[in-house]
């Protein structure tokens, strides 16, 4: 017990056999039989487990969850078929821990490797083991060169001996390092970067950067998100590939519209148009995803004796989704989409022109950012006040869209301002957005349910119970909608509280205070 | 942490052989285990290939102040450590001489190890002096090997009487038959009588086997060099009985605490 381990990574020009031969020439050993295991690591596409410092390992049908960089195992499960969603794990500690982290995302196999370990117990004159040298080979695939690590395990009460061996390894040209989690080693060997994908990639802007250059950086980051998700939509693994894809398209359009005057007007107009087309072709698929994800919630809203009667509605939506997905996939593989994206990519990769024609292209981005944000903020305040006088649904919808625009601006330009203050304002805005978003969702759902009743196949329409269940839902959603609407005034007042408006003023009304 | 003492006032009854094999099997079952060699002969230390004595210069009084944790040595086996003979011997003698409550010293010395170990086996020398009383104080289970001879049984009866008279818990005493020769009629008869007369007598006897003597040659527990031997199987089933008894005690403890 209390053994300690030191890792020695082998330089390319040294063979492990050489090292072992060198050590065993002076220290006797009887090597134990080599042991091989295949380890696979699972995570969501956006590395949710890794971001929570968790590692999910699969070995045959055994899955274990542990903490990264410590050997602390949290839970283990046997699964006969590889789990995809959190619900695929049997009820228990493992599922409980990962479910809130995974959410609706699917698990993907991020890396697999065959790990072969050979232990050399190092013996003294009594043939007592005084230290162990373990040669570990990590091979992500049969044809890759293995990553080799020597682990020197010292034994309690035999530190002196371990130190002598450690010195010999150093003399042989190996350098000791702290123990590296094998997860990190396997990821490295497989060429994967844990945490490499994020739907909100950071963009390193500086205040004095030329506005057109900054805008291109922001847009290139979005393009990366689009391209990363695109190939997975067809595979239909989970709903979030499409969702992240759509959000990146929306952000791109929003940036094009809002960061005004940095590109030639005809170019901006063309791509705004093109990307709107791309966004539109996925609208229906996303709507269906949202309804289907909410199935359990809808069922829970209904009285028990009607909950089962809503079944045909979801069966119908599921069937419809299959057809709609096929359309989207065909579109993504089609010439129009490919052309749009190729042109867009080419444009983003063009270097900024020396003498730009667009009016704001050469201005420092900080000026553009301040102006856009402040203007949008003031517009939102004015719109909100009007709604307080006269709460009309279409005004609430317009305000929701403007809030989203402000949100995107704050996120794009975060690196230009004091991080804590920006984070605070985003949090404030988020609360207003939640209220407006809930209201919008409820309106859309209510409308859709009324309209889908006509669309249902005749047999299901004749099932009076299904129609009753739909009617029941509409009524419940409507009540909910009135409640959310009633909360608007209070939420809006909180957002426009004096402290917040003062902060907006300080940070963004040009000249008042220098940005970060 | 539970402490099991392999104890007998007689030598050559199989205490060390049992301590070495049972501690190995306990560690294999996943218990974090320490075996303390209390015998200056250092047989248990020898069986694990650990050097019995520290270097000359390290000996003497200054060594006595060394914390117990730093004298512990890893064995070649997972979850199993050993406290070598010389440490306890030297430290205990001094402790007994100096202490106000001389019979509490062993328990006091072992106490800090409870965070680290689930089980401690004490391999005791044949003794009936102050060290014995320290052992009685420290042990949760007094495991006594019994050779089925009239003389051994008499000694055992005396031990029980002593414990009872001095207020020790005789429930802590467990016995098992050691060095049993199944061919001897007297062994069989005595065994039957003992089972009838006493509680906590293990069902598994350890037979007389040359494999057990060979431990000195291989310097390892029998289960390591002769895993399928009758001797290894006997220790295995004896361990299972003891494990069962331990777990019931732990459960009782837990319920009485609630
Ligand atoms: N069951 C047995 N069969 C054969 N020999 C044994 C057996 N148990 C112990 N021995 C041998 O008898 C001798 C004394 O045993 P040991 O365990 O050292 O006794 P103790 O520790 O009680 O003095 C040792 O040489 C040991 O190898
Ligand atoms: Mg002995």
């Amino acid at each position: 017990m209390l053994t300690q381990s030191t890792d020695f990574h082998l330089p390319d020009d040294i063979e492990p056999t050489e090292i072992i031969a060198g050590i065993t020439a002076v220290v006797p050993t009887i090597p134990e039989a080599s042991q091989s295991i295949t380890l696979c690591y699972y995570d969501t596409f956006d590395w949710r487990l890794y971001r929570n410092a968790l590692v999910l390992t699969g070995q045959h049908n055994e899955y274990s969850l542990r903490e990264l960089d410590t050997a602390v195992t949290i839970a283990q499960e046997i699964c006969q078929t590889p789990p995809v969603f959190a619900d695929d794990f049997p009820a228990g500690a493992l599922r409980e821990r990962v479910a809130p982290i995974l959410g609706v995302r699917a698990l993907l196999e991020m890396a697999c490797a065959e790990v072969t370990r050979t232990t050399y117990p190092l013996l003294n004159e009594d043939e007592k083991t005084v230290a162990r040298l373990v040669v570990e080979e990590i091979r992500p695939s049969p044809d890759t060169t293995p990553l080799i690590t020597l682990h020197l395990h010292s034994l309690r009460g035999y530190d002196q001996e371990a130190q002598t061996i450690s010195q010999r390894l150093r003399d042989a040209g190996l350098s000791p390092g702290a123990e590296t989690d094998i997860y990190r080693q396997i990821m490295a060997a497989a060429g994967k970067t844990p945490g490499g994908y994020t739907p909100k990639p950071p963009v390193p802007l500086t205040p004095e950067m030329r506005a057109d250059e900054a805008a291109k950086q922001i847009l290139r980051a979005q393009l990366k998100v689009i391209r990363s998700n695109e190939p997975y939509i067809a595979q239909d693994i989970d709903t979030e590939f499409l969702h992240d894809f759509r959000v990146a398209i929306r952000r791109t359009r929003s940036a094009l519209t809002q960061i005004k005057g940095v590109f030639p007007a005809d170019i901006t107009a063309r791509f705004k148009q093109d990307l709107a087309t791309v966004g539109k072709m996925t609208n229906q698929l996303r709507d269906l995803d949202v309804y289907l994800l909410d199935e359990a919630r809808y069922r829970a809203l209904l009285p028990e004796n009607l909950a089962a009667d809503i079944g045909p509605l979801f069966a119908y939506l599921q069937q419809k989704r299959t057809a709609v997905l096929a359309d989207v996939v065909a579109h993504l593989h089609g010439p129009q989409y490919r052309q749009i994206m190729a042109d867009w990519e080419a444009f983003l990769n063009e270097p900024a022109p020396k003498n730009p024609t667009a009016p704001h292209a050469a201005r420092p981005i900080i000026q553009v950012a301040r102006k856009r944000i402040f203007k949008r903020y003031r517009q939102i305040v004015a719109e909100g006040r009007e709604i307080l006088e006269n709460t009309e649904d279409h005004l609430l919808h317009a305000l929701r869209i403007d809030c989203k625009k402000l949100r995107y601006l704050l996120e794009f330009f975060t690196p230009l301002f004091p991080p804590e203050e920006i984070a605070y304002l985003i949090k404030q805005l988020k609360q207003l957005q939640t209220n407006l978003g809930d209201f919008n969702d409820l309106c859309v759902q209510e409308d859709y349910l009324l309209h889908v009743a006509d669309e249902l196949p005749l047999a299901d329409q004749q099932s009076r119970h299904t129609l009753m269940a739909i009617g029941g839902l509409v009524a419940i959603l409507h009540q909910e909608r009135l409640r959310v609407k009633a909360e608007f005034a209070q939420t809006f007042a909180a957002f426009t509280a004096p402290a917040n408006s003062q902060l907006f003023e300080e940070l963004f009304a040009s000249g008042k205070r220098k940005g970060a | 942490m539970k402490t099991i003492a392999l104890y007998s006032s007689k030598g050559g009854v199989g205490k060390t052989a049992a301590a070495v094999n049972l501690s190995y099997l306990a560690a294999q079952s996943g218990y974090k285990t320490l075996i303390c060699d209390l015998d200056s002969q250092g047989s248990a230390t020898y069986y694990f290939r650990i050097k019995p004595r520290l270097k000359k210069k390290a000996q003497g009084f200054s060594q006595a102040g060394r914390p117990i944790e730093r004298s512990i040595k890893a064995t070649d086996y997972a979850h199993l450590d050993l406290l070598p003979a010389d440490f306890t011997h030297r430290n205990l003698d001094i402790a007994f001489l100096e202490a106000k409550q001389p019979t509490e010293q062993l328990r006091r010395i072992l106490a800090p190890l409870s965070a680290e170990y689930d089980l401690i086996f004490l391999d005791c020398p044949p003794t009936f002096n102050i060290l014995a009383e320290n052992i009685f104080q420290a042990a949760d289970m007094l495991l006594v090997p019994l050779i089925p001879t009239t003389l051994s049984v008499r000694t055992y009866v005396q031990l029980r009487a002593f414990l009872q008279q001095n207020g020790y818990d005789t429930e802590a005493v467990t016995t098992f038959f050691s060095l049993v020769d199944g061919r001897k009629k007297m062994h069989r008869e005595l065994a039957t009588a003992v089972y009838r007369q006493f509680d906590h007598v293990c069902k598994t006897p350890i037979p007389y086997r040359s494999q057990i003597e060979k431990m000195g040659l291989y310097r390892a527990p029998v289960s390591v060099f002769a895993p399928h031997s009758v001797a290894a199987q006997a220790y295995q089933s004896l361990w299972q009985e003891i494990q069962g008894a331990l777990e019931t005690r732990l459960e009782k403890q837990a319920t009485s605490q609630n």
Side-chain angles (χ1 to χ4, degrees), chain B residues 8 10-18 39 43 47 123-124 126 145 178-180 206-216 235:
Chain B
S8 169
K10 292 165 143 305
V13 297
K15 295 186 292 294
T16 301
D39 191 343
S43 314
Y47 285 137
D123 182 27
C124 305
S178 180
L179 286 151
V180 175
I206 300 300
Y208 182 93
R209 286 280 149 168
S210 61
Q211 291 287 14
I212 296 175
E213 282 175 310
K214 286 192 188 137
M215 280 169 59
Y235 280 121

Side-chain angles (χ1 to χ4, degrees), chain A residues 298-310 468-469 472-473 476:
Chain A
Y298 284 129
R299 282 181 193 270
L301 285 176
L302 285 168
E304 234 168 87
N305 50 353
L306 269 184
D309 295 314
I310 202 77
M468 269 162 64
L473 273 181
I476 295 166

